[in-house]
Amino acid sequence: AQSVTQLGSHVSVSEGALVLLRCNYSSSVPPYLFWYVQYPNQGLQLLLKYTTGATLVKGINGFEAEFKKSETSFHLTKPSAHMSDAAEYFCAVRGAGSYQLTFGKGTKLSVIP
Amino acid sequence: DAGITQSPRYKITETGRQVTLMCHQTWSHSYMFWYRQDLGHGLRLIYYSAAADITDKGEVPDGYVVSRSKTENFPLTLESATRSQTSVYFCATAGGHEQFFGPGTRLTVL
């Protein structure tokens, strides 16, 4: 069984400040990890993913995340927040060999001008 | 080149009525999924399909029925809608390692 915990349902940052969204997972098999972004009234869009190889992965819009197996974490970061980053972000895990995703409950990011 | 489409985008219905939400993909992906999104719950898997005529339950299947006679279509039916089924419904396909999501259907059951 897999599960995902996103710490903080709402996060507010000032424009230009560091964005840090936390994600911890549990998985009985080597995981594939994902971050999706959802803008209002839209579907989910893939930001980045970890499957194998380099543990620091870069995604779209300047986001990156680091897979830390020892901490079972996959936190999402961006050095400098932009107003357009305001959205809801979902962390998801998938076990290798399965196509099913298990999602966290989401973190809504607000960016303060 | 629509990728994945859902219809209708918005639907209001009454308790007890049957409702079908449509999902269509142009990629020929084998796997397709239905999720519901509710405040405080994130996305929860309702049903998924590995191929035409192969479907399986997800986390919250009660009250829903699916079918998949063709690879490109994966309709979701609420046989007798209840107010607790008011939600936003997303269809998705799996290609490679990731899932691709449709724009969603916002369903309100009065």
Side-chain angles (χ1 to χ4, degrees):
Chain A
Q2 298 155 350
S3 66
V4 176
T5 301
Q6 291 185 238
L7 297 177
S9 58
H10 288 87
V11 170
S12 292
V13 299
S14 298
E15 191 174 17
L18 172 72
V19 175
L20 171 60
L21 304 182
R22 300 179 187 273
C23 172
N24 289 87
Y25 70 91
S26 67
S27 177
S28 58
V29 297
Y32 294 163
L33 295 158
F34 306 82
W35 276 99
Y36 283 85
V37 60
Q38 184 182 32
Y39 299 102
N41 298 316
Q42 294 186 25
L44 278 70
Q45 178 184 0
L46 183 69
L47 265 182
L48 50 79
K49 62 185 177 187
Y50 168 79
T51 54
T52 59
T55 56
L56 180 64
V57 294
K58 296 184 184 299
I60 61 172
N61 302 336
F63 284 93
E64 62 182 36
E66 187 172 9
F67 169 54
K68 292 187 176 181
K69 185 177 179 180
S70 61
E71 299 178 7
T72 60
S73 69
F74 191 57
H75 302 331
L76 181 70
T77 60
K78 181 175 181 178
S80 177
H82 191 272
M83 296 298 293
S84 61
D85 295 327
E88 189 154 22
Y89 293 80
F90 292 93
C91 182
V93 64
R94 179 192 134 192
S98 167
Y99 282 93
Q100 294 186 53
L101 288 178
T102 300
F103 285 88
K105 294 184 177 181
T107 298
K108 186 173 183 179
L109 176 67
S110 298
V111 182
I112 304 165
Chain B
D1 188 47
I4 181 168
T5 56
Q6 293 183 236
S7 61
R9 292 293 314 279
Y10 302 90
K11 176 73 176 179
I12 300 174
T13 191
E14 296 178 338
T15 301
R17 290 192 180 268
Q18 182 178 72
V19 177
T20 296
L21 309 183
M22 303 301 295
C23 178
H24 175 78
Q25 59 141 334
T26 60
W27 294 310
S28 300
H29 289 163
S30 294
Y31 277 82
M32 296 186 74
F33 306 83
W34 274 107
Y35 294 91
R36 60 178 290 171
Q37 183 179 23
D38 304 288
L39 198 62
H41 290 278
L43 278 83
R44 293 180 291 175
L45 182 64
I46 304 170
Y47 269 95
Y48 68 99
S49 170
D53 298 322
I54 301 174
T55 62
D56 207 348
K57 297 177 180 179
E59 180 185 355
V60 289
D62 293 344
Y64 303 95
V65 174
V66 294
S67 62
R68 195 168 175 205
S69 58
K70 294 183 178 181
T71 299
E72 60 266 30
N73 297 322
F74 190 37
L76 176 74
T77 298
L78 289 67
E79 292 192 305
S80 179
T82 65
R83 289 183 180 176
S84 65
Q85 293 177 310
T86 292
S87 186
V88 181
Y89 292 85
F90 288 100
C91 179
T93 70
H97 292 298
E98 67 182 271
Q99 288 189 16
F100 300 87
F101 286 80
T105 294
R106 184 175 295 274
L107 176 68
T108 301
V109 183
L110 302 177

